Amino acid sequence: MRALPDFRTPRWARLTALLTTGVLLTACGSGTDGSGAGDGRPRSGGSLTFAVGSDAGCVDPQQVGSNDTIYSVRQIVDSLTDQDPSTGKIVPWLAKSWDISADTTAFTFHLRPGVTFSDGSPLTAQVVKDNFDAVPKLGLLGTLAEGYLSGVESTTVIDPLTVKVTFQQPNAQFLQATSTHSLGIESSASVKKSPQQKCSDGVIGSGPFVLKQYVQNQSITLTRRSGYAWGSSRWSTQGEAYLDQVVFKVVPEAGVRAGSLRSGQVDAIGSVGRADEAALKGGQVALQRRANPGIVFGLGFNNARPILKDARVRRAILSAVDRKQIADTVFPTGTRAATSVLAHTTPDYTDLAPDLAFDAAKTKSLLEGAGWRVGGDGIRVKDGQKLSLTIDWVPNAATNQPALELIQQQLRSVGVQVTLKQLQLPQLSPIQQSGDYDAIWGNITRADPDILRSSFSTKLANFYRVPAGGLDTTLSAQAATSDPAERSRLVAQAQQSIVRDAYNVPVVELQTQLGVSTKVHGLAFDASSRIQLHDTWIG
């Protein structure tokens, strides 16, 4: 859907608060009579404005991987299931129930009757099949969704409201995958569009909000879906959303976002940085935060590069990074230094803090042992070649550049020369897939440890050019077992392998920190530390 001429600049609310164990702000009831909010009851109506730092250049949930854009497009589509953020339990949404074969190769979903998309078409098993069958054709931007469906043998319509997904091999991760925005269900009309059309025009979903307007690099406007009545089982209410309209404005400068929130020009902001915390605390603003599950912020090596093929060099760089200094200097209060390749909010996370300890002496010993000697300018040299690498990054978070500049200084002190190369967000996926890079700064959010297989298995995309070996076996095995204890053991083994072979340099956990006006109520993080706006109201 393209921009409409009656664009307004509405006011929007944002956010949620969830500690690792629970929500800080929850909906305060189920009333929808539009009465005043002074009595603490939710009220319908109002327009909320949320300022984010970037735009992914795409408004198709199945193709978007950037948090700033996921916040908005997530509201357009529903998923077959949902995930409780405090327990990790998978609960009903569009599917009222499901059956899983004993060997986790077959998943049968029983759909809720009466669900419709915003174009009036019904949700059926055939629509779900069409969605899943189309995912492999999404291309460069659909890698998350494709990874979740890798190994699919067939998607079969059993009856109008029953669909069965069968995999070639056991696939324990798939149930959680059906709760993600990447497998959000779109209408048949949207599925028939090309990936490029879906990115630029948006999609028709069954969600509580409808895309009204998208102006690239400026704003995304959503309006309430009339007649919505099939929300997630974990939401506070089951009818229509409270808000009339939500506007996500793209405001790249963190200080400008903070100033706009303080002045009341916007109702919530994303990516609150340490520098703005003091000014936002107290008064009419609340700060809310949660660590994103999945792969932490760090350096994803291209392990096929000549210099980085040597595990001693990779391990040396891993030991040279002072994670605590970076977390405490650059990132919002409460940000944790990485203690594994997975964040602590990820199911089956394993604490590997000793393997990620800052140790400059160890770094120097490893590099000396690999034949890299300090040159006259302080940069190490071997066979006439400098120990140099380029880190690609995108400005989708205010912390990216200062964090990388600090890493650049830390590595320079041990003789590693680092060049920082800024890309635009749409450039990142093509470069990562092409392999034309040394290292990429980033993270991947998912509330399931199978994100390790999606990222590091040589049998899938293998973005980081990891050599084939035992890690593949471990990652495949954790996806195949239906035994929770065995899966936990295998996931721990995979984390140890990735960290100890330094295929990736974990640095800090991404902590989602939002600034929210105190007049915004009923916002809560989902299991991926993103937001769901159905229960949100303003008053």
Side-chain angles (χ1 to χ4, degrees), residues 44-301:
S44 293
S47 180
L48 295 169
T49 302
F50 190 113
V52 295
S54 64
D55 172 28
C58 180
V59 280
D60 176 17
Q62 294 180 355
Q63 298 183 76
V64 170
S66 173
N67 285 341
D68 281 350
T69 303
I70 292 170
Y71 291 155
S72 56
V73 298
R74 186 31 162 155
Q75 317 310 317
I76 300 168
V77 294
D78 297 323
S79 297
L80 291 178
T81 65
D82 200 0
Q83 185 175 16
D84 188 304
S86 58
T87 66
K89 182 181 178 181
I90 304 301
V91 300
W93 195 345
L94 292 181
K96 61 182 182 180
S97 62
W98 49 85
D99 304 305
I100 304 174
S101 64
D103 62 356
T104 67
T105 60
F107 298 75
T108 303
F109 296 93
H110 306 280
L111 304 178
R112 294 171 66 161
V115 176
T116 61
F117 295 93
S118 58
D119 62 0
S121 61
L123 170 71
T124 64
Q126 184 63 50
V127 174
V128 175
K129 172 180 167 58
D130 292 344
N131 271 259
F132 290 173
D133 287 350
V135 162
K137 306 169 188 175
L138 289 175
L140 290 178
L141 298 182
T143 53
L144 280 176
E146 290 177 34
Y148 299 158
L149 284 165
S150 64
V152 164
E153 182 176 274
S154 64
T155 300
T156 306
V157 174
I158 306 299
D159 62 43
L161 292 178
T162 308
V163 61
K164 181 178 182 180
V165 185
T166 304
F167 291 87
Q168 298 164 1
Q169 303 291 335
N171 195 1
Q173 64 83 35
F174 181 63
L175 184 62
Q176 191 278 335
T178 65
S179 73
T180 66
H181 73 280
S182 299
L183 293 185
I185 305 301
E186 301 171 359
S187 71
S188 292
S190 293
V191 171
K192 293 174 183 175
K193 291 184 177 182
S194 70
Q196 295 76 20
Q197 286 177 312
K198 294 205 298 178
C199 261
S200 60
D201 299 343
V203 300
I204 299 297
S206 65
F209 291 91
V210 178
L211 177 64
K212 176 183 180 183
Q213 180 186 58
Y214 172 47
V215 182
Q216 190 167 352
N217 294 321
Q218 292 185 36
S219 63
I220 296 175
T221 303
L222 310 177
T223 55
R224 176 169 55 189
R225 166 79 191 279
S226 176
Y228 184 83
W230 39 83
S232 163
S233 60
R234 73 178 186 85
W235 296 353
S236 297
T237 60
Q238 289 299 304
E240 295 179 6
Y242 294 117
L243 298 172
D244 288 334
Q245 181 169 261
V246 181
V247 178
F248 291 84
K249 296 180 67 175
V250 180
V251 182
E253 301 82 7
V256 176
R257 290 197 300 274
S260 298
L261 179 59
R262 288 197 305 271
S263 67
Q265 293 176 290
V266 302
D267 303 297
I269 62 174
S271 301
V272 175
R274 180 179 289 269
D276 296 308
E277 287 177 352
L280 291 174
K281 286 180 179 176
Q284 301 303 306
V285 175
L287 295 179
Q288 300 164 318
R289 59 177 70 102
R290 185 179 190 257
N292 282 39
I295 294 176
V296 300
F297 257 121
L299 302 179
F301 283 144

Side-chain angles (χ1 to χ4, degrees), residues 16 18-19 277 287-291 333 511-513 525:
T16 149
L18 176 89
L19 295 175
E277 287 177 352
L287 295 179
Q288 300 164 318
R289 59 177 70 102
R290 185 179 190 257
T333 300
Q511 177 176 265
T512 295
Q513 178 164 254
F525 283 120

Side-chain angles (χ1 to χ4, degrees), residues 387-407:
L387 182 50
S388 174
L389 71 150
T390 298
I391 300 174
D392 291 359
W393 66 284
V394 294
N396 62 339
T399 50
N400 286 351
Q401 184 168 346
L404 287 169
E405 288 174 346
L406 190 47
I407 290 172

